[in-house]
Amino acid sequence: MKHLIELNSVQKYYKGSAGKLHVLRDVSLYIEKGEFAAITGSSGSGKSTLMNILGCLDTPTGGTYRLCGRNVDRISENDRARIRNKEIGFIFQGFNLIPALTALENVELPLIYRGVPYKDRQRMSRAAMAMVGLDHRMDHKPNELSGGQQQRVAIARAIAAKPPLILADEPTGNLDSESGKNILRTLKRLNELGTTVVLITHDKDIAENAGRTIKISDGRVIE
């Protein structure tokens, strides 16, 4: 296996009147292609900042970050945007669906931004909806779906373009326990099909669903 993600001595700090506020301190970690890894830690541990760096939403102030073999911490914002669009599928605690669009149209939206032709994006979106078991709910709007179904639409949206990496930030946080189990089963299935999944959570029980757990505390990887 090759490293999909490589962080070497990554730091993140902010300058203030009291000096530097360190959020991440010398974080080094590797995640292989095809892994299902969980990053866990309490509130304020630095895991959300780490996720933002992994997702090319933020840049480190020290160290290096390589994604798919490319150093991404020194490239332009436009290049980072292209990486986010093509290489990463995001799943957040909030479903972030557009109320006026159907489930299928929500899944299609990122593909429109990518310039995917209509027939291709229809095929890709329908396949993603079928993969999450919602091919019978494609024409429903978000307010006609349960919380668990809305999260599965969000997963379909993240995987429609078949990105090599899925970043899931507290994806079960707004769901009841049964819906949460269904989401974790879906993520496991995606991983079995070859997608690398990185799950960010504060819940140790949820983290145990991953093949490997990375624990972070006070901005450092401790396990």
Side-chain angles (χ1 to χ4, degrees):
M1 289 190 295
K2 295 181 179 180
H3 297 321
L4 183 76
I5 289 171
E6 299 181 41
L7 273 71
N8 289 292
S9 301
V10 162
Q11 299 181 52
K12 185 66 180 182
Y13 58 80
Y14 300 94
K15 293 181 179 178
S17 58
K20 293 179 180 178
L21 173 62
H22 285 268
V23 183
L24 295 177
R25 299 171 181 268
D26 295 319
V27 172
S28 295
L29 62 88
Y30 308 93
I31 294 174
E32 313 289 353
K33 289 182 179 179
E35 262 201 281
F36 187 169
I39 296 174
T40 184
S42 60
S43 178
S45 62
K47 66 182 186 300
S48 294
T49 300
L50 179 57
M51 191 216 72
N52 288 339
I53 289 174
L54 294 177
C56 297
L57 297 167
D58 199 356
T59 56
T61 44
T64 59
Y65 171 34
R66 298 179 68 87
L67 175 65
C68 300
R70 183 180 184 186
N71 192 323
V72 296
D73 51 273
R74 297 292 182 266
I75 62 176
S76 69
E77 173 53 37
N78 285 340
D79 284 341
R80 286 199 300 276
R82 279 191 282 272
I83 288 173
R84 289 194 298 269
N85 191 253
K86 293 184 178 181
E87 308 291 342
I88 306 170
F90 293 93
I91 305 166
F92 297 103
Q93 181 174 341
F95 316 130
N96 298 329
L97 303 179
I98 297 177
L101 300 182
T102 65
L104 184 65
E105 289 167 341
N106 269 282
V107 175
E108 277 188 90
L109 197 57
L111 301 176
I112 294 174
Y113 295 147
R114 288 186 63 179
V116 177
Y118 175 76
K119 288 185 178 179
D120 290 337
R121 68 175 184 259
Q122 278 274 307
R123 172 181 51 79
M124 295 163 71
S125 299
R126 290 176 182 275
M129 287 289 284
M131 184 174 289
V132 300
L134 287 177
D135 45 333
H136 63 298
R137 306 286 278 178
M138 290 189 289
D139 295 327
H140 289 70
K141 292 186 176 179
N143 65 355
E144 300 171 317
L145 302 172
S146 69
Q149 289 171 334
Q150 290 184 59
Q151 188 61 293
R152 280 192 280 162
V153 173
I155 292 174
R157 181 182 57 196
I159 67 173
K162 297 184 178 179
L165 172 63
I166 293 291
L167 285 180
D169 186 15
E170 302 282 5
T172 63
N174 285 335
L175 305 176
D176 61 80
S177 60
E178 188 57 36
S179 296
K181 290 177 183 177
N182 288 333
I183 295 304
L184 289 169
R185 280 194 287 267
T186 301
L187 292 175
K188 284 183 178 180
R189 182 170 176 237
L190 289 170
N191 178 245
E192 289 166 0
L193 293 171
T195 303
T196 305
V197 178
V198 178
L199 172 67
I200 291 89
T201 181
H202 69 280
D203 191 320
K204 293 180 181 179
D205 292 336
I206 290 175
E208 287 177 357
N209 287 273
R212 179 164 65 105
T213 299
I214 300 161
K215 294 182 180 179
I216 186 168
S217 179
D218 295 326
R220 299 181 187 274
V221 173
I222 59 171
E223 185 178 333

